[in-house]
Amino acid sequence: MEIMQTLKPFESIWNFVLLLVSYPILGAFAWFIGVLCYQLIYRHRHKDDIEFQPLTPEEQPFITIMIPAHNEEVMIEHTINYLMNNLNYEKYEVLVTDDGSTDETPAILERLQNVYDNLRVVTIKKNQGKAHAFNVGVGFARGELILSNDADSIPEPDALWKYMSYFMGEEHANTAAVTANMDVQNRSTIIAKSQTVEFSSIVGVIKRSQVSALGNMYAYSGANTMYRRDALIDVGLFRQDRATEDISIAWDHQLNGWTTVFSPDILFYMNVPENLDALYHQRKRWAKGGTEVLLTNFKRVVSHPGKYLKQWAFITDQTLSIIWSLFFFVSTLIFLISLVTFFFTGNYERVYHMFCMAFIFVTFEMFAGVLQLLSALIVDDRGRKFKYLIFMPLYMLIYWQVNALALVTTLIPAVKTILGYGSGTWVSPVRKHHTE
């Protein structure tokens, strides 16, 4: 009896380790089931709620397309020209909040203002971050509906009137924001093409699962989200000391009782990182933002578990993601040290066993990942992205590790931000001009 009681703590630890090892596999199966629920239940239940009908000019609400910009000389002219000439909508303005640009961005904007009457520019002398630039722009926006549009992103021509289908009418009065379906605009490198698979995995599966199971989503896309102005003001606008203002305000909205919507039928095209260095820096910002949201809202959710029952899904998932990432790198280090030790001491049987165990784990992980990606590529954009399944191994072998590394390396900076040492300033990524 005493021996059994002594072993119980070790059994609990072992069970927790098994949970961590299987976490990516269980997560992939959960998202796979979630997208099935969306396609078979949620989508058909709500298909009559939204009717995409083009609006006459008299019916169109006035929209402000806001572009927070900092050193965007490469892409901003192309983006503005597209927005001015390619949208099937009449009552809108483009408002650029130039956040302390030091390149040719101000000169480009001044020249374009002489071309387009509905282009307005607000100049902020000192770089204070995207959230600050957006908050300043809200005060100048003429529209009650504001589309967040990055300087390197473009919506499909019908996007604006499709967005309106989610805001017009009393039944949609509580809708705070609508995020569209992201697609990759620049596919000139393998890294960029692989992100077509990833965006299908993230948007095509996770957001569908969240809205079908929980009725809300836990992250907007800052590049392509339409906001109700009143909902922005209700939560005090964007938090200016957060790495990802779009994730943060999505939580602020849902915790204040607003409804958030994901629309897979509105397409938005954006530029993505084209090399590993740029990809890693992007994932560090995403990971830091997710951890900041967890730390910011953890106490509030835990203190009222009944009231915020739906938020427990994200709290649990994000907490396990952080613990798993730490465990992954510690266990990988132990694995490599043990492998080298056994090899040089001639214990080849142990080397063989270690490779077998690693192979079994990777096989299960790959199988679960294939299910998730297959379901995503089939349902997203009516299966047109299925050809990108060829990049699945690169995504699963590299992107998952990059994301885990980003989560580990930003854990301490995220804690410092919550303690009041965060900064909202931004550095624009290095971009190439893509007009195709």
Side-chain angles (χ1 to χ4, degrees):
M1 179 67 72
E2 292 181 359
I3 296 176
M4 294 296 294
Q5 291 178 346
T6 304
L7 291 176
K8 282 185 178 180
F10 293 100
E11 290 180 1
S12 299
I13 294 173
W14 177 244
N15 289 335
F16 184 68
V17 170
L18 286 177
L19 174 64
L20 287 177
V21 170
S22 60
Y23 169 69
I25 300 171
L26 295 175
F29 275 112
W31 298 129
F32 173 70
I33 294 172
V35 77
L36 288 180
C37 292
Y38 179 91
Q39 287 295 111
L40 300 177
I41 302 175
Y42 180 88
R43 181 169 171 265
H44 296 286
R45 182 182 299 172
H46 294 271
K47 66 179 181 179
D48 295 329
D49 295 346
I50 300 297
E51 293 185 6
F52 290 125
Q53 294 291 339
L55 302 174
T56 64
E58 293 75 22
E59 297 173 319
Q60 295 175 1
F62 191 82
I63 296 172
T64 294
I65 302 176
M66 191 181 300
I67 306 177
H70 174 70
N71 291 348
E72 300 286 358
E73 63 180 6
V74 174
M75 289 294 297
I76 195 164
E77 182 169 5
H78 170 256
T79 299
I80 291 175
N81 284 332
Y82 177 92
L83 294 174
M84 292 299 183
N85 298 298
N86 294 83
L87 299 183
N88 298 323
Y89 204 87
E90 292 190 19
K91 298 173 68 173
Y92 69 96
E93 66 172 349
V94 175
L95 177 63
V96 180
T97 49
D98 179 16
D99 190 35
S101 294
T102 56
D103 62 356
E104 291 300 311
T105 299
I108 294 172
L109 294 175
E110 183 178 1
R111 174 165 48 81
L112 291 176
Q113 278 188 287
N114 296 323
V115 179
Y116 301 113
D117 293 334
N118 57 334
L119 172 63
R120 301 166 61 216
V121 178
V122 176
T123 301
I124 303 169
K125 294 298 183 183
K126 183 180 179 182
N127 173 13
Q128 298 184 62
K130 182 179 180 180
H132 177 266
F134 205 106
N135 289 346
V136 170
V138 170
F140 290 88
R142 294 172 179 165
E144 290 301 316
L145 297 166
I146 301 174
L147 175 64
S148 174
N149 194 107
D150 280 358
D152 62 343
S153 301
I154 56 174
E156 65 167 305
D158 294 333
L160 294 188
W161 62 261
K162 285 185 176 181
Y163 273 119
M164 291 306 96
S165 301
Y166 294 93
F167 287 102
M168 298 177 66
E170 293 184 5
E171 67 274 22
H172 302 302
N174 199 52
T175 300
V178 178
T179 282
N181 196 353
M182 293 181 290
D183 200 355
V184 175
Q185 185 175 194
N186 54 321
R187 302 176 185 178
S188 57
T189 68
I190 293 179
I191 294 293
K193 290 177 181 178
S194 300
Q195 285 170 87
T196 301
V197 174
E198 184 183 36
F199 278 128
S200 291
S201 176
I202 293 175
V203 177
V205 172
I206 296 179
K207 281 185 168 54
R208 282 178 170 88
S209 299
Q210 289 173 349
V211 297
S212 63
L214 304 173
N216 268 313
M217 59 181 170
Y218 299 108
Y220 301 143
S221 169
N224 62 349
T225 296
M226 178 83 76
Y227 296 96
R228 188 185 299 276
R229 181 175 179 165
D230 289 346
L232 292 175
I233 295 173
D234 180 64
V235 297
L237 302 180
F238 292 94
R239 296 176 185 255
Q240 298 183 30
D241 60 348
R242 295 296 187 259
T244 50
E245 79 293 332
D246 43 3
I247 300 177
S248 181
I249 201 167
W251 268 79
D252 291 340
H253 276 152
Q254 61 178 291
L255 291 177
N256 273 37
W258 289 94
T259 300
T260 60
V261 177
F262 166 63
S263 176
D265 299 308
I266 304 175
L267 291 179
F268 224 96
Y269 303 91
M270 61 183 295
N271 274 18
V272 298
E274 297 186 314
N275 56 66
L276 283 176
D277 182 61
L279 177 69
Y280 176 61
H281 281 85
Q282 180 197 63
R283 299 315 152 95
K284 284 179 64 178
R285 188 177 68 84
W286 290 1
K288 184 172 181 285
T291 303
E292 288 170 355
V293 167
L294 170 68
L295 297 176
T296 299
N297 298 290
F298 186 84
K299 182 178 178 181
R300 182 176 178 180
V301 173
V302 172
S303 300
H304 303 86
K307 183 178 180 181
Y308 300 119
L309 185 61
K310 293 180 179 179
Q311 283 69 37
W312 270 97
F314 173 84
I315 293 290
T316 303
D317 180 59
Q318 186 70 7
T319 301
L320 286 175
S321 294
I322 294 172
I323 297 174
W324 180 85
S325 297
L326 292 168
F327 168 78
F328 173 77
F329 283 100
V330 171
S331 60
T332 299
L333 182 62
I334 295 174
F335 177 86
L336 293 175
I337 293 174
S338 301
L339 189 65
V340 172
T341 301
F342 290 139
F343 181 81
F344 283 104
T345 56
N347 194 343
Y348 301 118
E349 183 178 357
R350 294 290 296 175
V351 172
Y352 172 75
H353 287 161
M354 291 181 71
F355 271 114
C356 287
M357 292 301 295
F359 177 78
I360 292 173
F361 170 70
V362 171
T363 300
F364 275 104
E365 185 175 312
M366 294 286 284
F367 176 71
V370 167
L371 283 180
Q372 177 182 344
L373 291 177
L374 273 175
S375 61
L377 293 172
I378 290 172
V379 302
D380 200 31
D381 199 15
R382 300 179 181 179
R384 294 188 183 96
K385 298 178 183 177
F386 193 78
K387 61 183 179 182
Y388 289 97
L389 186 64
I390 190 175
F391 298 103
M392 180 271 296
L394 179 66
Y395 163 64
M396 298 184 67
L397 294 176
I398 294 180
Y399 279 62
W400 282 13
Q401 277 68 13
V402 170
N403 292 340
L405 178 62
L407 198 54
V408 170
T409 55
T410 57
L411 183 58
I412 293 177
V415 173
K416 290 175 64 178
T417 296
I418 299 303
L419 295 177
Y421 301 99
S423 173
T425 58
W426 58 350
V427 178
S428 293
V430 177
R431 295 186 175 117
K432 295 179 181 180
H433 195 167
H434 296 275
T435 58
E436 63 274 13

